[in-house]
Structure formats: structure tokens, C-alpha cells
């Protein structure tokens, strides 16, 4: 990581929803890590705004207690003490201009200081918070606003939220987070594709049979019922993370590695996605919901039992066969899949190449596969056919992997969490890894067709046993195409 440039503008961070789950789970830890690595500008203050009364001198201890609940590694004492000096708890209502005015008067008087406002709250209150920020004089050019997904529940919902944001802030000031874009391995996709001449000639419908993108989780909903039961996996994972991964795999090489160029290329991919409607809904999409089972040896309840009983039509698993209608990708399915309470946690992209044109080795050959493991155990495998050593006349083959493990290749390099990178970029004002409004809109437009198709055809989620790989319908979707999911044992 590059250190913060000397002489860059002085900056503070205001975390709205400063005593919320995301703040403790991700934001303070990321800021602490950045501070420990010498990446935060000197003098940067972290203002935590929340309604709950809490003496300001108690906040660092509270934050530490909560952070330690989520961390396996102990904190470095000296680094924590230094970081705690930056923390300021401010009790107030973020939707009240008067409260924000008081905050500004008490802490944000210097005109040349920049401010990053992180809205770690439900999108429902973005509009009143933005109005209050403007009312308190906190929407000037030096303010950047960071917003978390989900941005709406549909294209229309997104446009309404976005209209409120852009009424007050310019696009340049708005940083829409998709934390997958901050992951090291996701960034490496660009490096892999565009700095190795090996891949580009192969990266199209002539040589690629299909692509699989999986984000499998072992966790359930983890107490986020209010949000998840309304959103479901389609809106929670596919609309953002999976479609962003699809864009990075499918996009054309950008002219330059700058925000506008990269975003333009991703947008073209989103615009090329074939809408899924009518009969295709049941052929090309699968919804699932987990029932009780065992995940990694531990018995877990089903989705509705985990909630509060009752019925629910919410999907915890989605599989979609996406098609990109352009010259590069016509005829190459992109199978997307995500689910909770699956057998293993892994996010992976599999590029399956076509079979050889004229097989000389009978049926024992398999098509080559490039497997890009995003998490955990980041790495890249190229799976190739090899002859099994021996004297057999028929030359039996076996698939063998050329293996690149990140942890081995880059041992000694500290792991950087997605939120560290994204917060640092927001502090520096670098928007490359954030999502532009037109990308979010185009992604919703495609998702809306699926959501509407499910609603119109009363497509209820298919049950699946927790601890497996989702409902059999997902296996059948690929089997109809003569293909199988690539599941890691
Ligand atoms: C979040 C979703 O955006 O991503 C969660 O809201 C999901 O439901 C999480 O668990 C997965 O992120 P990661 O980084 O663990 O793959």
C-alpha cells in the first residue's frame, strides 16, 4: 500500500449509525488497521454519530469491546491507544439539521478540512440525513458521502433514493460501496486479464464454453431478519456482488485504469445482459430456501425456524443463467449462484474452455478450466489434462492443476480487508472501486425482470437441506445444458 501523500487535504470521517453493527464489525476495525499501517492522515478524526446517550470518554472502550467480539486476532495495544485518540462519540439525530449544526460547530469549524460522511444506516433514512447535512452546511465540495448497499429494492426504488442523493451532492461526491470491489482477489481479476497477454486471445465465445460464478456462504441470516426477509438473496447478493464480478470477467479492456473508463466498460456489459422474462424465468433461474440440516458438522435450523416460525417466501439461494448479448460473449452462459447455509464458504469464478476439436484420447479428456478462487485461500488454478505415467497403451489421462496460492506466492504480505481499501479510497477521493449510478440502475433493471417474473409466476423457493449445495433444481438447470456445477470438496 502507498502511504498517504504528505500535504493531502486534512480530512475527518463522520460515521452515521456510529453504534451500529456494520460500524463495529467492519468500519472501526478497518480504520484501526489503516492507522496501524500508517495510512491514515495525521489529525484525521473519526466522529461516531448515534442517538444513544454515551459519555464520549466511554466510547473507545465500548468500541474496543465490540470489535474484539468480531476479531480473532488481539489488538496491538500501542496502535489501539493511538487510534482511540481519534475516536469521538457524538450523540445526536442525523436527520436533524440542528443536531448536525451543533456537531459542525463543535468539531468541523476549519473550512479547509474535508469530510467523508459514511451512511451506515438503512437507505430509508438517506434522504432526511442528506437534507439535514445540507441544512447544517455539510454538503459543500469538500464533503464526500459513502453509501452502503442495498440502494433500493428495484430500479424505481434506486432512482428515488438516488434522486435524493443527487439533489444535494454531485455524482463526484457520492461513493456507492460494493465491498466485493475492494477485495484483493477481485482487483486481481483486472490484473490477471489485462496484464497477461496469454488470456486475451482465449477470452471469448470461440474458446470459452461457459463461466460459473459462485458466492457460497455457510452462515445464515445472523439476526438481519428485518432486512433479509424483504430483500432475499437476489437483491442482497446478485444485484450487486455477483453482477459486479460478472462485469469484471466479461468487460472489454478499458483504455485506462481510471474510474470513468472502467465504469464505462462495466456498464456496457450490464446493458448487454439478456432480460429473463416469461417462460425463461423457470428455465434460467432457481430460487431456494434452506431447511434444517448440518453445516460443517453443526446442526442448524431451517430459515423460517431461525426467524420466528411462520411462512416466508424469501429466497436464501439463487442460481441464474445469464447471457451477454455481444460479439465477445454471444452463446456463452454465465451461471451465477449464491446461497446461505451451504456446505462450504467459497467465492469462485470458473472459466470452462471448450473441449478439444478432435479428441484423440477417447472419453478420458476433460475441458480445461481456469479456476479463480476469490475467498478463502485466494488462488488461481489452471486445470490441464496430463498423461498418467505408465506403460498403458491407451494413454489414460488425468486432470492436474497448475496451482498459484496467494498466501504462498505473497507470504509476508499482510492481508488487506475490502473495507480498509475502500475507506482509504474514500479518504483520498478515489472513486474507481465504487459503483456509478448508471451501473446500479442497469443492474436493477435486469434484476427487476427476474423479481417480477417470480412474482407473476408465483415461483416459490425450492427447499434445500442446509449443508449441501442448494436445491436439486440448480443442478437440473445446468444438466439441461449438459453441464455440471464445479463444487469443491
Ligand atoms: C453482504 C451481504 O453484502 O455480503 C451479506 O449483505 C453477505 O448477506 C456478505 O453475507 C458476504 O460478504 P463476504 O465478504 O463475506 O463474501
Amino acid at each position: 500500500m502507498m502511504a498517504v501523500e504528505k500535504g493531502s487535504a486534512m480530512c475527518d470521517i463522520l460515521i452515521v449509525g456510529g453504534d451500529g453493527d456494520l460500524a463495529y464489525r467492519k468500519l472501526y476495525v478497518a480504520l484501526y488497521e489503516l492507522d496501524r499501517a500508517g495510512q491514515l492522515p495525521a489529525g484525521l478524526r473519526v466522529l461516531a454519530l448515534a442517538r444513544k446517550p454515551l459519555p464520549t470518554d466511554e466510547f473507545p472502550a465500548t468500541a474496543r469491546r465490540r470489535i474484539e467480539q468480531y476479531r480473532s486476532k488481539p489488538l496491538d495495544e500501542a496502535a489501539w491507544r493511538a487510534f482511540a485518540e481519534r475516536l469521538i462519540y457524538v450523540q445526536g439525530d442525523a436527520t436533524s439539521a440542528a443536531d448536525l449544526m451543533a456537531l459542525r460547530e463543535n468539531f468541523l469549524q476549519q473550512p479547509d478540512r474535508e469530510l467523508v460522511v459514511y451512511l451506515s444506516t438503512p437507505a430509508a433514512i438517506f434522504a432526511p440525513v442528506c437534507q439535514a447535512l445540507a441544512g447544517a452546511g455539510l454538503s459543500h465540495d469538500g464533503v464526500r458521502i459513502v453509501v452502503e448497499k442495498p440502494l433500493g429494492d428495484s430500479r424505481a426504488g434506486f432512482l428515488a433514493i438516488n434522486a435524493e442523493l443527487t439533489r444535494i451532492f454531485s455524482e463526484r461526491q457520492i461513493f456507492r460501496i460494493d465491498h466485493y470491489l475492494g477485495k484483493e482477489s477481485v482487483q486481481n481479476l483486472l490484473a490477471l486479464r489485462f496484464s497477461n497477454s496469454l488470456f486475451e486471445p482465449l477470452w471469448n465465445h470461440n474458446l470459452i464454453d461457459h463461466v460459473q460464478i459462485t458466492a457460497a456462504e455457510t452462515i445464515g441470516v445472523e439476526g438481519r431478519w428485518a432486512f433479509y426477509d424483504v430483500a432475499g438473496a437476489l437483491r442482497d447478493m446478485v444485484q450487486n456482488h455477483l453482477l459486479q464480478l460478472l462485469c469484471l470477467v466479461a468487460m472489454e479492456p478499458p483504455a485506462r485504469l481510471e474510474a470513468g473508463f472502467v465504469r464505462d466498460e462495466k456498464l456496457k456489459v450490464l446493458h448487454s445482459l439478456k432480460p429473463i422474462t416469461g417462460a425463461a424465468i423457470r428455465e434460467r433461474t432457481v430460487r431456494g430456501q434452506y431447511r434444517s440440516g448440518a453445516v460443517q458438522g453443526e446442526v442448524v435450523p431451517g430459515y423460517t425456524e431461525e426467524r420466528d416460525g411462520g411462512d416466508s417466501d424469501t429466497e436464501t439461494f439463487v442460481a441464474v443463467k445469464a447471457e451477454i448479448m455481444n460479439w465477445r460473449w454471444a452463446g456463452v452462459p454465465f451461471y451465477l449462484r449464491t446461497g446461505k447455509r451451504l456446505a462450504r464458504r467459497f467465492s469462485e469464478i470458473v472459466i470452462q474452455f471448450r473441449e478439444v476439436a478432435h479428441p484423440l484420447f477417447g472419453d478420458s479428456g476433460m475441458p480445461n478450466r481456469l479456476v479463480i478462487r476469490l475467498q478463502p485461500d485466494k488462488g488461481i488454478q489452471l486445470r490441464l489434462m496430463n498423461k498418467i505415467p505408465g506403460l498403458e497403451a491407451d494413454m489414460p489421462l488425468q486432470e492436474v492443476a497448475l496451482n498459484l496460492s496467494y498466501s504462498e506466492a505473497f507470504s509476508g504480505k499482510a492481508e488487506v480487508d475490502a473495507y480498509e481499501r475502500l475507506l482509504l479510497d474514500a479518504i483520498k477521493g478515489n472513486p474507481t472501486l465504487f459503483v456509478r449510478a448508471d451501473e446500479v440502475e442497469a443492474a436493477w433493471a435486469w434484476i427487476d425482470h427476474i423479481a417480477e417474473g417470480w412474482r407473476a409466476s408465483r415461483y416459490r423457493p425450492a427447499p434445500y437441506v442446509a449443508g449441501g449445495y442448494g436445491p436439486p433444481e440448480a443442478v437440473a438447470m445446468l444438466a439441461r445444458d449438459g453441464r455440471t456445477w464445479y463444487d469443491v470438496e
Side-chain angles (χ1 to χ4, degrees):
M1 261 198 277
M2 298 245 307
V4 173
E5 308 99 59
K6 297 236 166 15
S8 63
M10 292 296 287
C11 186
D12 293 308
I13 294 194
L14 170 63
I15 299 185
V16 177
D19 72 341
D21 196 52
L22 177 76
Y24 289 121
R25 215 180 260 266
K26 294 286 184 190
L27 306 183
Y28 300 129
V29 184
L31 289 165
Y32 154 81
E33 291 292 358
L34 286 171
D35 196 18
R36 195 163 75 99
Q39 297 290 325
L40 289 188
L44 175 140
R45 291 166 302 170
V46 180
L47 300 157
L49 176 66
R51 289 197 181 159
K52 204 166 75 191
L54 183 72
T56 193
D57 53 342
E58 277 181 25
F59 179 61
T62 306
R64 178 174 186 156
R65 213 173 33 251
R66 292 288 302 274
I67 289 169
E68 283 175 337
Q69 282 172 9
Y70 301 120
R71 256 175 90 84
S72 44
K73 282 188 295 182
L75 296 167
D76 173 309
E77 287 303 328
W80 175 260
R81 271 198 305 280
F83 178 65
E85 294 284 306
R86 298 178 183 268
L87 292 176
I88 300 173
Y89 186 81
V90 185
Q91 192 219 333
D93 176 356
T95 63
S96 149
D99 283 11
L100 293 183
M101 193 90 81
L103 180 144
R104 183 181 173 194
E105 269 159 25
N106 288 331
F107 302 105
L108 303 171
Q109 279 300 351
Q110 284 166 267
D112 56 344
R113 279 181 95 85
E114 297 188 345
L115 180 67
V116 172
V117 181
Y118 197 117
L119 298 190
S120 176
T121 64
I125 67 160
F126 285 179
V129 174
C130 289
Q131 281 151 20
L133 285 165
L138 289 174
S139 57
H140 56 83
D141 253 17
V143 175
R144 292 185 280 286
I145 185 139
V146 183
V147 287
E148 268 285 337
K149 61 162 269 281
L151 292 172
D153 57 357
S154 60
R155 176 173 173 270
F158 165 69
L159 290 177
I161 292 171
N162 203 49
E164 292 294 340
L165 287 172
T166 50
R167 215 159 53 81
I168 290 163
F169 297 98
S170 64
E171 180 68 28
R172 198 187 54 76
Q173 290 174 282
I174 304 171
F175 286 62
R176 298 176 195 81
I177 278 209
D178 182 319
H179 80 278
Y180 266 54
L181 294 181
K183 288 182 190 277
E184 192 70 64
S185 49
V186 174
Q187 293 208 299
N188 193 44
L189 271 176
L190 292 180
L192 183 75
R193 284 196 56 199
F194 303 131
S195 62
N196 295 291
S197 56
L198 179 69
F199 295 117
E200 183 51 25
L202 315 179
W203 215 256
N204 58 54
H205 64 97
N206 291 320
L207 286 158
I208 293 178
D209 176 72
H210 75 275
V211 176
Q212 297 185 14
I213 302 179
T214 301
E217 299 188 273
T218 50
I219 55 170
V221 178
E222 304 218 293
R224 296 157 72 219
W225 291 108
F227 156 70
Y228 197 87
D229 208 40
V230 178
L234 181 70
R235 295 182 173 90
D236 184 39
M237 293 291 290
V238 184
Q239 188 271 342
N240 35 76
H241 308 324
L242 266 66
L243 282 185
Q244 284 292 326
L245 294 179
L246 174 143
C247 285
L248 294 176
V249 173
M251 71 190 218
E252 295 300 314
R256 292 210 288 274
L257 210 54
E258 287 169 18
F261 293 87
V262 175
R263 289 159 154 195
D264 285 348
E265 296 305 337
K266 287 195 289 170
L267 184 64
K268 284 188 213 159
V269 175
L270 292 167
H271 282 158
S272 310
L273 284 170
K274 181 175 175 183
I276 304 182
T277 55
I281 286 287
R282 285 187 183 256
E283 285 155 20
R284 292 175 42 200
T285 75
V286 173
R287 315 175 72 191
Q289 188 189 79
Y290 61 85
R291 300 288 185 261
S292 57
V295 178
Q296 295 181 325
E298 200 185 312
V299 176
V300 296
Y303 177 74
T304 51
E305 295 155 76
E306 210 172 318
R307 197 181 60 162
D308 53 2
D311 199 17
S312 169
D313 210 11
T314 299
E315 78 285 350
T316 59
F317 177 98
V318 180
V320 183
K321 177 180 173 182
E323 287 175 80
I324 302 171
M325 308 295 284
N326 65 18
W327 277 62
R328 189 187 282 266
W329 294 115
V332 179
F334 279 63
Y335 299 102
L336 313 180
R337 161 176 77 149
T338 183
K340 295 210 180 277
R341 292 280 192 230
L342 298 182
R344 303 182 58 239
R345 174 176 183 254
F346 70 98
S347 296
E348 199 164 74
I349 297 169
V350 179
I351 314 286
Q352 176 151 332
F353 292 92
R354 289 195 184 280
E355 291 184 9
V356 291
H358 176 56
L360 294 177
F361 295 88
D363 289 339
S364 62
M366 297 250 288
N368 299 136
R369 280 186 291 213
L370 178 68
V371 181
I372 304 167
R373 168 67 64 90
L374 305 174
Q375 64 185 26
D377 319 325
K378 297 185 245 327
I380 298 169
Q381 282 190 348
L382 185 58
R383 303 186 71 91
L384 304 171
M385 294 315 297
N386 282 265
K387 176 185 171 304
I388 302 172
L391 297 173
E392 290 84 350
D394 59 350
M395 294 237 266
L397 303 182
Q398 185 179 316
E399 193 185 35
V400 182
L402 292 182
N403 232 334
L404 165 75
S405 149
Y406 268 41
S407 57
E408 282 168 25
F410 300 104
S411 63
K413 279 273 177 205
E415 243 194 58
V416 178
D417 181 72
Y419 277 92
E420 289 174 44
R421 182 185 317 280
L422 295 172
L423 279 166
L424 190 60
D425 281 353
I427 292 167
K428 290 180 172 175
N430 176 2
T432 312
L433 298 177
F434 294 81
V435 190
R436 204 168 57 191
D438 48 8
E439 291 179 70
V440 185
E441 183 184 348
W444 273 125
W446 189 71
I447 291 292
D448 278 357
H449 286 295
I450 301 177
E452 172 51 24
W454 285 351
R455 201 194 53 75
S457 66
R458 295 176 203 276
Y459 189 168
R460 302 217 57 198
Y464 65 95
V465 178
Y469 282 101
E473 284 81 349
V475 176
M477 185 173 85
L478 263 70
R480 284 197 295 275
D481 293 347
R483 301 184 174 111
T484 51
W485 290 104
Y486 184 71
D487 290 331
V488 197
E489 291 313 323

